Amino acid sequence: MSLFTAGEWQQYQRHVQLNEVGVTGQLRLKHAKVVIVGAGGLGCPVAMYLGAAGVGHITIVDGDCISQTNLHRQVLFSFADIGKSKARVVAKRLNDNNPFITVLGVKEPLVAANMHRLVNKADIVLDCTDNFAARMLINDHCLVQAIPWIYASVLGTNGQMALFTPDGPCFRCVFPEIPVDVPDCNAAGVLSTLPGTLGLLQANSCLQYLISEQCEIAGKLFLFSGSTNQLRTINLSKNTQCVCAQPTAKSPVGVRVRATPAKLKESEQANIDSTAACHQNIKLTPQTFVNLLLGHKTPFLLDVRSEQEHRGFNIGGVCISLSEDLLQQVTAECTDRTAAIFVYCQSGKRSDQAVGLLSEAGYSELYSLEGGLSALLEERQLTKILSEFLASRA
């Protein structure tokens, strides 16, 4: 049983190929629940990239409608969207790009009355608002519920960002009180690229936190200058007088302990631990490969990717990676050297090598899937036919 559908596997392939992400990291993203507060200059790039990356459940909270003054920096909107709900338009854009995720657009401002309903099940919250009152509200609620959150703000040509986690310094450690007379973008203006830059930093920080058990971004304030492209980092520390340092009933101490975000179920984690490689010789196009496979009464289907990749997505068959003793294991599974062996991997390179090795060992009828799963999955009707065939034989 694959951990991802064929569509998901295609959509996230460039992620899964990264050692820093892999099947484990992509599963964490798939199971993650993220709340984005604000669908403006920051919220647009944050939502766009988190949705494309495969974050499985995204809630976008914004009570505003699109105006023409938004268009120079809020890149998910078009002129035709003026007057529509920001949250709902963003939700539709995300699903248009990635139909494998769940996106909810909430046309409400985030206030104390709806915080519990909208935020409490989140693995992480992203503040994409433009006012300190909302940030204080998010900070105080996330403190009590032990939810990490990412702050960002932009003004003129400068911006800043920070990831606050339950065990580190909080927003009030940096800003004990709401500053007065601080203008927003409506009053002071903002360079169009600046929200995109800070939004990307937020999105990247969110992905790093969700994917990795070790996040080096937390507890730091990042200051960006749009005039010089310089990024400075300030290490934050807890203010001993701050509410986050006081073990009261209203502090996160003893209230709620969250594991690393988007933790996988034990059964899923057990499904994805191993390594791999593969090889080929007689190349068949996806169409010919499937036709021959369906025409054989007793074909031996061999996946020469890693066990981790096989668990992530496969079209059936036995998984024996090149990093293991391929010949010995294939011989144990298929003693008949005249049997038809159909070999596949992700791109066709490893299956080429495998076919070469098996040919040298005396196997005579060997077929390699040219272009691998990447090519096969581009042929959706072909993939459907193959899936139905394999299901009928299961």
Side-chain angles (χ1 to χ4, degrees), residues 239-369:
N239 181 343
T240 57
Q241 304 303 312
C242 183
V243 64
C244 70
Q246 311 304 315
T248 65
K250 289 296 182 181
S251 77
V253 180
V255 175
R256 182 179 179 187
V257 177
R258 284 192 167 234
T260 302
K263 274 286 188 183
L264 306 181
K265 299 174 184 175
E266 287 185 13
S267 58
E268 290 172 330
Q269 185 63 55
N271 275 347
I272 49 177
D273 287 315
S274 270
T275 341
C278 310
H279 275 168
Q280 168 189 20
N281 187 302
I282 303 174
K283 300 180 182 180
L284 298 179
T285 65
Q287 181 73 59
T288 306
F289 186 90
V290 171
N291 287 343
L292 278 178
L293 180 64
L294 269 56
H296 273 271
K297 291 183 179 180
T298 56
F300 183 78
L301 184 59
L302 175 62
D303 180 359
V304 289
R305 300 174 302 159
S306 68
E307 183 68 22
Q308 183 184 26
E309 290 173 287
H310 184 80
R311 297 284 187 183
F313 176 79
N314 65 80
I315 56 171
V318 177
C319 179
I320 303 174
S321 77
L322 283 183
S323 62
E324 300 163 358
D325 191 337
L326 179 76
L327 292 178
Q328 182 179 340
Q329 292 200 46
V330 170
T331 301
E333 293 281 349
C334 181
T335 57
D336 183 2
R337 301 292 170 115
T338 64
I341 300 181
F342 293 79
V343 189
Y344 71 92
C345 64
Q346 187 60 36
S347 67
K349 293 181 180 179
R350 288 176 285 179
S351 58
D352 278 350
Q353 294 174 320
V355 167
L357 290 174
L358 294 173
S359 178
E360 291 175 4
Y363 285 92
S364 57
E365 191 174 355
L366 298 162
Y367 305 105
S368 173
L369 176 59

Side-chain angles (χ1 to χ4, degrees), residues 48-185:
M48 180 168 60
Y49 278 94
L50 293 186
V55 172
H57 304 269
I58 299 175
T59 300
I60 302 148
V61 184
D62 195 311
D64 289 344
C65 292
I66 300 159
S67 68
Q68 190 172 353
T69 59
N70 300 147
L71 301 183
H72 98 295
R73 66 195 182 281
Q74 299 178 18
V75 293
L76 286 181
F77 307 138
S78 69
F79 198 86
D81 294 322
I82 292 174
K84 297 178 183 177
S85 161
K86 288 185 178 182
R88 291 171 185 169
V89 171
V90 170
K92 184 179 185 306
R93 295 282 190 275
L94 265 58
N95 267 141
D96 286 345
N97 181 58
N98 188 351
F100 308 108
I101 61 175
T102 301
V103 189
L104 177 64
V106 179
K107 190 185 177 183
E108 302 175 32
L110 189 70
V111 294
N114 61 18
M115 284 287 289
H116 180 85
R117 169 169 56 90
L118 297 176
V119 171
N120 275 24
K121 292 183 179 180
D123 292 304
I124 192 166
V125 177
L126 289 102
D127 160 50
C128 299
T129 64
D130 60 358
N131 68 87
F132 273 90
R135 292 166 191 146
M136 291 296 192
L137 185 65
I138 293 170
N139 180 75
D140 294 351
H141 188 84
C142 287
L143 265 180
V144 173
Q145 297 300 322
I147 301 173
W149 69 285
I150 302 177
Y151 147 77
S153 68
V154 294
L155 190 65
T157 60
N158 297 307
Q160 51 188 242
M161 187 216 75
L163 164 62
F164 298 104
T165 55
D167 57 346
C170 77
F171 186 73
R172 286 187 182 273
C173 292
V174 185
F175 302 99
E177 302 293 339
I178 298 178
V180 296
D181 300 325
V182 176
D184 58 17
C185 294

